[in-house]
Amino acid sequence: LRVQAKEVQTLGEAVLLAAGVPREHAALQLELLIEAELRGFPSHGLMRLPTIVKRVAAGLVDPDTRGEHVWRGDALVEVDGENGLGPVVALHALNVVVERAKRTGVAVALLRRANHLGMLAWYVEQAARRGHLAIMTCTAEALVHPWGGSRPMLGTNPVAIGVPAVPDPLVLDMSTSAVSMGKLIDYERRGAPIPHGWAIDSDGRSTTDASAAIAGAISPFGGAKGYALGLALEVLVASLTHTSLGTDVVGTLDTVSPSSKGDVIIAFGEQDGSTITRTGDYLEQVRRCPTDVDGSVGVPGDRSRTARDSALSDGFELADSTAEELQVLHQDAMTSSARDRVSRT
Amino acid sequence: LRVQAKEVQTLGEAVLLAAGVPREHAALQLELLIEAELRGFPSHGLMRLPTIVKRVAAGLVDPDTRGEHVWRGDALVEVDGENGLGPVVALHALNVVVERAKRTGVAVALLRRANHLGMLAWYVEQAARRGHLAIMTCTAEALVHPWGGSRPMLGTNPVAIGVPAVPDPLVLDMSTSAVSMGKLIDYERRGAPIPHGWAIDSDGRSTTDASAAIAGAISPFGGAKGYALGLALEVLVASLTHTSLGTDVVGTLDTVSPSSKGDVIIAFGEQDGSTITRTGDYLEQVRRCPTDVDGSVGVPGDRSRTARDSALSDGFELADSTAEELQVLHQDAMTSSARDRVSRT
């Protein structure tokens, strides 16, 4: 089903409004999910909406709060997310540390009890477009095995970096796993074999069977180095934010547990214009690098930007299952708000 | 040649003293080089000493300075390294931001014009052992090709993370390249083929020929993701420190150019004891993860620590070429200081 951003934004907002989410927060949550769709990352898109709605209904999400801020120093704020919506709590925290970094040079927000932040690129890109270099990282459910190990013990722990540049910032947003769980589930549904190197079965053997992989563990990207980076991020985030580690991390994929992962946001002061121009010039040189036999050279963020431009003008494909779920949610929302109107009269 | 840390420390210090390096700075530079040897990273060890001596003699290193600090905010200091020795400038900067972070929560040092820092693990481990989480990253000579590209356009840009834990911190120190240039040179000397994936020849084709690789470019680790991370670090460091980008980065391997790379140090406030204990418990769980078919599971820093313990008690192997160079340097130093004594009388 091909849809336009605007129509699903309206539809999704109506669903969240009916669930009791304030209009501004609903708009923000939807914007993030739709941005993921536009950029070609449906795993972080509208397929997340049913879980969010269920978590709100179950009282696992407080849709009203932007989190409580306690400064632990001139440049570091601890954010108790108070179970708020991820994008609501995190975007507010980002704006606060970006503002603070103008004076202090650098500022950090440490988030606990915020719900799933979604695509980190969305945040660091906003900072970078305002001239601020930003770094974000967070923990996630333990789906990845240690290098040489056979059990999932660490998260897919992503890292995102936004660096101001003209005409467009560099926007890195990568998990430290070889593949996402969403992709494994997609392969399983289609009955397709997965490539070696993506995952292991529960005996610790490399597997091409998606079901065996889901029962086993996802591999870190880049072998021992990728594992080392993912583990370092796991303990960095958990140490700084006082949140859970390894298999104790819950509450971003399920509809039963409060979120126990952590998020770290680092923002720097404003970059001067000549630096932003120079960075852009270098990135352009990199794009023009003579290619190898197969190749073309991109800069992190390029592919998303191209996909987004085309999806904004031509619409984007919504997976059938997601479209159906969205339809059901919307119907439920309309019914319940009609019921509310009746009970109010 | 098997040597003891103490004897090469004395020998090396004498060489640097004769070159005009103050005793305290000579001791620090040697400690760093020897720590690399002890941990099994000779590429960052004593084989670097001849280059350092030549750079001091050529006036590319000012052995006296610890760098000039200008605070750009309460939490961010710009460090003009004034061409000082890498470890002298960087360790001082690290100590300063660790101290500042106690009050501000986080503090950052941005270094330009510091000579080669050497093994980053040495720095972040010191911070972590004092209870401070620290992150370091820097640029380096352009030896790595963009993913899909055929020319070296970015550095081996390492990232290091030290996280306090009992009994020992997690110490990550990894380059974003598949392999170091030192290793390629070693394979070339031995006439051994290199594995596919390490490097490309100058036509952009994967090669197993070490000489062709050296004339070509090193590959990023972990494919497109490792490239994206390395490129993000390249522009992050250069933007923040106002230092060179890509092929303009010089002066860490040669003996003709002032150093034009940059270094970034991020230090956080002190971790509380219970967090440090909890992190250690989790890392211990990870080490005990059931292994896969080949495997054993380690935590970043473990292998270095084991190597160091054994090398401290039993000594370590010095490459013949390094031992010879050291001997020659020492003889030159003794001759020149004898000459100085004569000329003074």
Side-chain angles (χ1 to χ4, degrees):
Chain A
L1 183 67
R2 182 162 286 271
V3 295
Q4 292 291 332
K6 259 193 187 160
E7 46 176 330
V8 281
Q9 175 89 28
T10 311
L11 202 78
E13 278 184 35
V15 169
L16 287 183
L17 284 172
V21 179
R23 185 172 296 274
E24 199 190 334
H25 294 180
L28 213 54
Q29 178 69 66
L30 258 296
E31 183 188 325
L32 173 81
L33 297 179
I34 291 169
E35 279 293 329
E37 297 283 352
L38 292 172
R39 295 172 192 201
F41 299 104
S43 63
H44 284 64
L46 291 160
M47 66 175 274
R48 300 269 180 171
L49 192 61
T51 305
I52 294 168
V53 172
K54 278 180 207 148
R55 290 181 64 85
V56 172
L60 297 167
V61 169
D62 173 355
D64 295 311
T65 186
R66 297 202 298 173
E68 194 180 295
H69 288 203
V70 178
W71 288 88
R72 294 291 178 202
D74 205 17
L76 188 136
V77 62
E78 285 183 3
V79 178
D80 177 352
E82 297 179 317
N83 297 326
L85 288 164
V88 171
V89 173
L91 192 63
H92 177 50
L94 177 74
N95 288 337
V96 163
V97 289
V98 160
E99 201 51 40
R100 177 59 58 98
K102 287 180 185 169
R103 177 164 66 74
T104 54
V106 65
V108 169
L110 306 176
L111 280 63
R112 62 181 190 282
R113 298 210 304 151
N115 279 283
H116 191 236
L117 263 52
M119 179 183 54
L120 299 185
W122 185 68
Y123 304 89
V124 297
E125 178 163 1
Q126 290 188 49
R129 289 205 180 272
R130 281 144 64 194
H132 294 265
L133 207 150
I135 305 172
M136 286 177 75
T137 183
C138 58
T139 46
E141 271 86 353
L143 298 173
V144 177
H145 64 84
W147 190 244
S150 65
R151 297 279 181 286
M153 291 196 73
L154 54 149
T156 50
N157 307 346
V159 58
I161 300 177
V163 182
V166 286
D168 294 296
L170 174 141
V171 182
L172 172 79
D173 180 2
M174 55 178 253
S175 74
T176 49
S177 58
V179 64
S180 68
M181 180 55 82
K183 214 166 203 173
L184 293 186
I185 292 169
D186 180 49
Y187 273 70
E188 187 188 38
R189 273 186 197 155
R190 295 191 287 110
I194 60 169
H196 270 294
W198 277 13
I200 57 173
D201 64 21
S202 51
D203 295 324
R205 277 185 300 250
S206 177
T207 183
T208 59
D209 182 280
S211 307
I214 291 165
I218 301 176
S219 296
F221 94 101
K225 280 192 181 186
Y227 154 61
L229 180 63
L231 185 67
L233 295 179
E234 180 95 19
V235 291
L236 177 150
V237 170
S239 295
L240 290 175
T241 62
H242 304 292
T243 51
S244 296
L245 279 160
T247 49
D248 291 337
V249 176
V250 291
T252 70
L253 304 166
D254 63 65
T255 55
V256 292
S257 307
S259 167
S260 70
K261 51 83 187 162
D263 311 280
V264 172
I265 307 174
I266 306 176
F268 291 87
E270 223 161 341
Q271 296 278 309
D272 61 277
S274 67
T275 300
I276 295 177
T277 302
R278 188 181 67 126
T279 305
D281 291 346
Y282 169 68
L283 294 177
E284 194 48 37
Q285 276 178 43
V286 170
R287 287 188 189 95
R288 288 197 309 255
C289 178
T291 59
D292 65 16
V293 278
D294 327 302
S296 74
V297 174
V299 161
D302 284 1
R303 213 166 39 181
S304 289
R305 202 172 301 119
T306 310
R308 183 177 188 275
D309 288 348
S310 122
L312 274 178
S313 65
D314 307 338
F316 59 91
E317 287 294 328
L318 206 57
D320 287 349
S321 53
T322 306
E324 271 165 40
E325 285 176 324
L326 205 58
Q327 213 51 55
V328 171
L329 282 175
H330 189 245
Q331 227 141 28
D332 288 355
M334 293 308 97
T335 316
S336 86
S337 56
R339 202 184 303 123
D340 281 2
R341 274 198 300 277
V342 170
S343 72
R344 254 188 258 115
T345 56
Chain B
L1 183 67
R2 184 161 283 272
V3 295
Q4 292 291 332
K6 259 194 188 161
E7 46 176 331
V8 282
Q9 175 89 28
T10 310
L11 202 78
E13 279 185 33
V15 169
L16 287 183
L17 283 174
V21 178
R23 184 171 297 273
E24 200 190 334
H25 294 179
L28 212 55
Q29 178 69 66
L30 258 296
E31 183 188 324
L32 173 81
L33 298 179
I34 291 169
E35 278 293 329
E37 297 283 352
L38 291 171
R39 296 173 191 201
F41 299 103
S43 62
H44 284 64
L46 291 161
M47 66 175 276
R48 299 269 181 172
L49 192 61
T51 306
I52 294 168
V53 171
K54 278 179 207 150
R55 290 181 65 85
V56 173
L60 297 167
V61 170
D62 173 355
D64 295 311
T65 185
R66 297 202 297 173
E68 195 180 296
H69 288 201
V70 177
W71 288 88
R72 295 290 177 202
D74 205 16
L76 187 136
V77 62
E78 285 183 3
V79 178
D80 177 353
E82 297 179 318
N83 297 325
L85 287 163
V88 171
V89 173
L91 192 63
H92 178 49
L94 176 74
N95 288 336
V96 163
V97 289
V98 160
E99 201 51 41
R100 177 60 58 99
K102 286 180 185 169
R103 177 164 65 74
T104 53
V106 65
V108 169
L110 306 176
L111 281 63
R112 62 179 190 282
R113 299 210 304 150
N115 278 283
H116 191 235
L117 263 52
M119 180 181 55
L120 299 185
W122 185 68
Y123 303 90
V124 296
E125 177 162 1
Q126 290 187 50
R129 289 204 180 274
R130 281 144 65 193
H132 295 265
L133 207 151
I135 305 172
M136 286 177 75
T137 183
C138 58
T139 46
E141 271 86 354
L143 298 174
V144 177
H145 64 83
W147 190 245
S150 65
R151 297 279 182 285
M153 291 196 73
L154 54 150
T156 50
N157 308 346
V159 58
I161 300 177
V163 182
V166 286
D168 294 296
L170 173 141
V171 182
L172 171 79
D173 180 2
M174 55 177 254
S175 74
T176 49
S177 59
V179 64
S180 68
M181 179 55 83
K183 214 166 202 173
L184 292 186
I185 292 170
D186 181 47
Y187 272 70
E188 186 188 39
R189 273 186 197 155
R190 295 191 286 109
I194 61 169
H196 271 295
W198 277 13
I200 57 173
D201 64 21
S202 50
D203 295 324
R205 278 184 299 249
S206 176
T207 183
T208 59
D209 181 282
S211 307
I214 291 166
I218 300 176
S219 295
F221 94 100
K225 280 192 180 187
Y227 154 61
L229 180 63
L231 185 66
L233 295 178
E234 180 95 18
V235 292
L236 177 149
V237 171
S239 296
L240 291 174
T241 62
H242 304 292
T243 51
S244 296
L245 279 159
T247 49
D248 291 337
V249 176
V250 291
T252 71
L253 304 166
D254 63 65
T255 55
V256 292
S257 306
S259 166
S260 70
K261 52 82 188 163
D263 311 281
V264 172
I265 307 173
I266 306 176
F268 291 87
E270 224 161 340
Q271 296 278 310
D272 61 276
S274 67
T275 300
I276 296 177
T277 302
R278 188 182 67 126
T279 306
D281 290 345
Y282 169 68
L283 294 177
E284 193 49 35
Q285 276 178 42
V286 170
R287 287 186 189 97
R288 288 196 310 255
C289 178
T291 59
D292 65 16
V293 278
D294 329 300
S296 73
V297 174
V299 162
D302 284 1
R303 213 165 40 180
S304 288
R305 201 172 301 117
T306 310
R308 184 178 187 274
D309 288 348
S310 121
L312 273 179
S313 64
D314 307 339
F316 59 90
E317 287 294 327
L318 206 56
D320 287 349
S321 53
T322 306
E324 271 165 41
E325 285 176 324
L326 205 58
Q327 212 52 54
V328 170
L329 282 175
H330 189 247
Q331 226 141 27
D332 288 356
M334 292 307 99
T335 316
S336 86
S337 57
R339 203 185 302 122
D340 281 2
R341 275 197 301 277
V342 171
S343 73
R344 254 188 259 117
T345 57

